[in-house]
Amino acid sequence: DVMRKMAFPIDIVFIYASGEITNIHHADPSDDQTFRGPAQYVLEVPLHYTTDNDISVGEQVGIPDEYR
């Protein structure tokens, strides 16, 4: 979805229910766009966290049972 009036940059990580990362967007507050990806979950982390930690599309994320 759209991050309206977002005042800080983030990475937006889209994750399937299986835990597979399907898409990663690097979103800056100056971007006025919609960020989309197939997902059951969306994780927002500081900008460039994914690149700084070598996290990429296709990798697996552990989803605790209490969040399923």
Side-chain angles (χ1 to χ4, degrees):
D1 278 316
V2 177
M3 297 290 292
R4 288 184 177 82
K5 299 185 192 243
M6 181 178 68
F8 51 91
I10 60 174
D11 283 354
I12 304 170
V13 183
F14 292 83
I15 306 166
Y16 278 144
S18 66
E20 180 184 349
I21 296 174
T22 63
N23 208 340
I24 298 173
H25 291 285
H26 307 286
D28 188 272
S30 63
D31 292 340
D32 187 23
Q33 58 181 310
T34 300
F35 301 101
R36 298 179 190 266
Q40 173 72 31
Y41 306 101
V42 175
L43 176 65
E44 297 173 353
V45 295
L47 185 66
H48 298 302
Y49 179 90
T50 56
T51 51
D52 292 346
N53 292 281
D54 297 320
I55 298 168
S56 59
V57 171
E59 290 192 49
Q60 288 294 126
V61 174
I63 309 291
D65 288 338
E66 60 266 24
Y67 295 106
R68 292 184 181 265

